[in-house]
Amino acid sequence: MNRRGELVVVSGFSGAGKGTLMKALVQKYDDYSLSVSMTTRQPRIGEVDGQSYFFVSREEFEEQIKEDGFLEYACYCENYYGTPRSYVDRQLSLGKDVILEIEIQGAMRIKDKYPSAILLFVMPPSGKELRRRLIGRGTESIEIIDKRLSRACEEAEGIEAYDYIVINDKLETCVDELDSIIRSAHKSVFRNHEIIDKIRTELREFQKEEK
Ligand code: 5GP
């Protein structure tokens, strides 16, 4: 039986290590495709256009909005971020689970539009550790780190809207945990109506034959 692709939304505070986690997940398991977002933020050192993000101007981003090119988009710390629609549609039709590593407003839009999406929230082991990681990566100024920490405070209020939380303590363990959560979610009753209907029909047929 072909497995139908699902949207898998992964959110988490800036600095929680989602990016590293998602890369490790798609490298280890073949069932997943990682969506590359479009953003108006400046590239960080080491980020590659088309791999980390599609880096575009505000005008280009707004043009895409007009053309309905996004599955969802949001403004985060004064920059636009959005999920290009075409890649996601293609991968889903190939039966891949598509991972959207997006912030909470975008996650809520996906949840509204695609009720079968699987929503995961990645957390650091503690608030103190989050701050340490944000400062440690050395890619943002203290001012931006403060903005991201205050945004984390707001985001923490929305965690109940997600289906699962995952604590990112040890990378390897966390990757396997994510994979097993997604696999289990595929088995949920509400994602398997077709199988259930099929067996019901077959059983009814047996009953008819016996009469
Ligand atoms: P960063 O600037 O640290 O790469 O990303 C900032 C935030 O934007 C992160 O929480 C990240 O998950 C989120 N983000 C990245 N791409 C998208 C997207 O396409 N849509 C939305 N809504 N958020 C995104």
Side-chain angles (χ1 to χ4, degrees):
M1 189 195 62
N2 282 336
R3 192 171 94 138
R4 204 171 66 87
E6 290 287 4
L7 285 173
V8 179
V9 171
V10 179
S11 301
F13 312 127
S14 177
K18 290 163 294 173
T20 316
L21 252 181
M22 293 311 112
K23 274 188 213 110
L25 179 72
V26 293
Q27 262 170 22
K28 183 159 182 186
Y29 298 100
D30 284 337
D31 297 324
Y32 309 113
S33 291
L34 193 53
S35 161
V36 178
S37 294
M38 201 173 270
T39 185
T40 58
R41 130 161 120 58
Q42 289 300 307
R44 295 186 188 123
I45 293 167
E47 284 186 328
V48 179
D49 189 31
Q51 284 180 21
S52 321
Y53 282 104
F54 295 103
F55 295 100
V56 296
S57 66
R58 251 188 132 72
E59 291 70 33
E60 285 172 287
F61 198 100
E62 284 167 356
E63 192 54 38
Q64 282 296 313
I65 298 177
K66 272 193 221 142
E67 289 176 10
D68 195 26
F70 294 115
L71 216 55
E72 63 72 41
Y73 69 93
C75 211
Y76 175 95
C77 294
E78 293 149 33
N79 278 300
Y80 277 131
Y81 294 81
T83 305
R85 185 188 293 283
S86 52
Y87 174 82
V88 174
D89 285 347
R90 212 168 40 246
Q91 295 299 310
L92 286 177
S93 69
L94 292 173
K96 295 264 191 175
D97 286 341
V98 183
I99 312 234
L100 311 181
E101 193 219 304
I102 62 180
E103 53 67 71
I104 199 160
Q105 304 167 69
M108 294 307 105
R109 280 184 199 134
I110 294 289
K111 186 176 165 154
D112 279 350
K113 280 205 238 170
Y114 307 92
S116 75
I118 303 161
L119 273 74
L120 308 164
F121 198 93
V122 177
M123 309 234 267
S126 67
K128 212 167 149 192
E129 174 62 15
L130 180 71
R131 191 160 190 275
R132 197 192 64 75
R133 286 185 193 172
L134 269 174
I135 295 171
R137 75 182 180 188
T139 49
E140 273 95 3
S141 63
I142 283 293
E143 195 198 347
I144 294 195
I145 291 172
D146 283 345
K147 266 193 194 158
R148 285 178 175 239
L149 282 172
S150 88
R151 178 63 187 235
C153 225
E154 289 166 28
E155 288 181 338
E157 295 303 313
I159 298 174
E160 278 87 353
Y162 287 75
D163 300 313
Y164 303 93
I165 58 163
V166 184
I167 313 273
N168 184 13
D169 198 354
K170 244 181 117 213
L171 182 74
E172 264 300 298
T173 320
C174 199
V175 164
D176 292 339
E177 210 172 297
L178 282 166
D179 174 64
S180 84
I181 290 173
I182 300 167
R183 276 179 207 284
S184 307
H186 270 280
K187 309 270 184 230
S188 69
V189 167
F190 97 96
R191 290 190 182 84
N192 287 285
H193 287 307
E194 275 177 30
I195 299 177
I196 299 167
D197 288 345
K198 183 168 172 277
I199 197 132
R200 280 186 182 140
T201 312
E202 281 173 11
L203 291 173
R204 277 191 219 111
E205 289 300 318
F206 289 150
Q207 273 192 325
K208 274 187 213 156
E209 281 166 21
E210 275 168 21
K211 276 181 191 163

